[in-house]
Each structure stands twice: as structure tokens, then as C-alpha cells.
Amino acid sequence: MRTPIVMGNWKLNGSKESVTALIKGIEAAADAAPNVEVAVCPPAIFIDQVATLCANNSIEFGAQDISTEVSGAFTGETSTVMVKEFGAKYSLVGHSERRQYHNETDALVAAKFVAIQANGLVPVLCIGETLEEREADVTKKVVETQIKAVIDLAGIEALENCVIAYEPVWAIGTGKVATSEQAQEVHAHIRSWLAEQSKVVAEKVQILYGGSVKAASAKELFAQPDIDGGLVGGAALIVEEFVGIIEGAK
Ligand code: 13P
């Protein structure tokens, strides 16, 4: 059995005050769901604050993006070692907004994936097709290519210790959630494609769905056999919504 994960990606949102309110608002629900792992990915500057707030609850946390480098003359970057020092467990890697607005290629995403694992964090590899790609019926090929870049660099065994987040770009921040059938179809494809390379990886890896997940849609999505939780953007910033999504994963 794979433990479901409900992970909030706060993106570029929050203040000292709202971060405290959000963690205080969701911690009871997280603690009351021992069979669900709850995690948040705040902007890097709030990781210290989140670490303090989560010292005595079950909420895990991670970075939204990370440098391939550990230290040195790399202005503006945050390293795995730094976030690990604060107790982070995860780092997202390859989010479509990084791919789109920061020109992150599959090769760079793979290098970041390796850096994340090398320093003891768990990568959350984000993949997914654009609307044009879905309409051109190349969704499966796109997600295979995105995962293959990591396998080519790190080897298939590296995927034994990671999380995959399938986030169709057309569903992110648009309110257009994929239907549970659409999401399950891609998740099942990812798992069977992985199984051709390693049954252990395919069985073990948690595949989260992301893209306009709300409390109202969570339960049905998470009931699908190959959907192991969600990576949540907008609804992760609203206490009642995020709590409802945690409930949907129980
Ligand atoms: P939304 O839930 O706001 O669509 O964002 C999804 C996402 O990008 C999570 O990483």
C-alpha cells in the first residue's frame, strides 16, 4: 500500500502572518489523518518559519525549487543542504511554471533531481502535457520523455525514492480539473510504463495528481487506483479547502 500524500505548493504567496495562520489552521486535520502524509512547499524564505511551526505536528515540508549546486558563487539560488538543515523532506523539481517561465529543460530538471537525492531530500518530479500536446494526442509520449530524462541520468533505481506529480498544464490554476478518468488513465500509463523497467519502482512510487484540485473534487480523484494523493496550488492557501482535501485522502 502506498501512503497517500496531500502536498500544498504555495508558489509565490504568503506573509509571516498568513504562513502561521495556515499552518495553525491545517495542523489538527493533518494530525488527525495518520494514514495520509501532509506536506507544504512554501517560498524558500518561509521555510525556517514553517520548520518552527511544524516542530510538533505531523506536517512535512519542502522547497519549490532547488539549485543543482550545494554552495558557491550562484547568486539567488537555494541549495538542498540549506533546506535540509531546516528539516525539509522534499523539493519539487520540474514544475511546469519553472519549465515555462525559467526555461528549465528536461536535462536541467534531471540534474536538479540528482542533486536533491544526493543531499538526502526526496524529489517530487512534476510532469505533464500542455493543452496543445493533449489535443495532438501526445500526452503519454510527453510524460514518458519527461521521466526518461531523469532515468537516463540517474538510473531507474533512483525512482524508488521519489514522488511523481502528474500536473496537466491546462489544468493548473485554470479551474479546469482533469476528470478522474482522464487523470487515472495517465497515472495508470505512467505506472505500467515504469513497470516495464522496474516492477519495484512501479509499485512503490507515489503518483500525485495536480491541477485545480479542490475539496469537492479530491475524494473522487484520490479513489482512483493509481492516484496516490495531490499536489495542490490555489486550494492549499485556503484552510477549509486544504483540510477538505486532506479529508478526501483518508
Ligand atoms: P492549482 O491547484 O492552483 O491548479 O495549482 C496546481 C499546481 O501547480 C501545484 O503544483
Side-chain angles (χ1 to χ4, degrees), residues 28-222:
D31 288 347
N35 61 330
V36 180
E37 188 178 319
V38 177
V40 296
C41 297
I45 194 150
F46 294 123
I47 284 180
D48 188 10
Q49 188 184 342
V50 166
T52 304
L53 286 163
C54 295
N56 296 309
N57 63 37
S58 60
I59 302 171
E60 301 282 358
F61 55 93
Q64 296 176 10
D65 177 47
I66 212 79
S67 177
T68 53
E69 306 298 327
V70 163
S71 64
F74 302 101
T75 302
E77 296 281 70
T78 306
S79 92
T80 48
V81 173
M82 293 170 184
V83 298
K84 175 97 177 145
E85 191 181 351
F86 287 95
K89 177 171 180 182
Y90 295 104
S91 177
L92 305 185
V93 61
H95 192 282
S96 65
E97 287 149 18
R98 300 291 315 172
R99 295 179 190 261
Q100 232 179 313
Y101 307 140
H102 300 272
N103 301 319
E104 292 199 5
T105 60
D106 281 341
L108 178 61
V109 170
K112 288 187 173 189
F113 183 105
V114 168
I116 291 165
Q117 280 191 336
N119 295 297
L121 297 174
V122 178
V124 180
L125 175 64
C126 303
I127 57 171
E129 81 288 3
T130 61
L131 184 59
E132 296 71 46
E133 289 164 338
R134 174 158 283 262
E135 285 172 348
D137 205 18
V138 292
T139 296
K140 290 172 183 169
K141 196 77 227 154
V142 168
V143 296
E144 284 173 18
T145 304
Q146 289 170 330
I147 302 173
K148 189 173 179 299
V150 172
I151 296 173
D152 286 349
L153 186 67
I156 183 72
E157 315 75 45
L159 270 65
E160 273 183 44
N161 188 28
C162 84
V163 175
I164 292 176
Y166 168 60
E167 302 202 299
V169 178
W170 49 271
I172 295 178
T174 57
K176 245 195 259 174
V177 62
T179 64
S180 50
E181 293 77 21
Q182 282 175 319
Q184 166 59 22
E185 187 189 358
V186 180
H187 283 233
H189 175 76
I190 293 167
R191 206 178 297 285
S192 63
W193 182 76
L194 287 172
E196 291 167 15
Q197 303 164 76
S198 165
K199 292 219 161 24
V200 176
V201 167
E203 273 305 306
K204 195 171 171 202
V205 71
Q206 289 137 313
I207 309 178
L208 313 185
Y209 168 79
S212 298
V213 177
K214 301 274 184 297
S217 54
K219 201 176 174 66
E220 191 187 323
L221 283 164
F222 301 164

